[in-house]
Amino acid sequence: MGKFSSEEIESQYNLIKMLLAEPEKYRDAINAIKKDIAYMPIELKKKLHEEKINL
């Protein structure tokens, strides 16, 4: 897996936060993210953990 830029990490982080703000509306997208969490960049996982965001 390649190295991700901080802008890419920030963009993905912001997208996840937006989806989690309206979980009923974005249920399918959230479920897809949960399935792909193993492939998330380590930097993004750390950021989500630091913010106490659990999928």
Side-chain angles (χ1 to χ4, degrees):
M1 186 181 308
K3 190 84 169 155
F4 288 86
S5 73
S6 61
E7 289 140 6
E8 289 172 306
I9 299 299
E10 190 68 27
S11 175
Q12 290 177 8
Y13 172 75
N14 288 332
L15 175 62
I16 290 170
K17 282 183 68 173
M18 181 197 72
L19 296 174
L20 292 174
E22 297 184 64
E24 296 298 321
K25 185 176 181 182
Y26 299 112
R27 181 185 333 267
D28 293 337
I30 292 168
N31 288 335
I33 290 170
K34 286 179 183 178
K35 289 179 184 176
D36 291 336
I37 201 161
Y39 301 106
M40 264 186 203
I42 293 170
E43 296 88 354
L44 179 56
K45 287 181 187 180
K46 286 180 184 176
K47 188 168 179 117
L48 291 171
H49 180 72
E50 288 169 2
E51 294 291 323
K52 296 183 173 114
I53 296 174
N54 297 312
L55 295 172

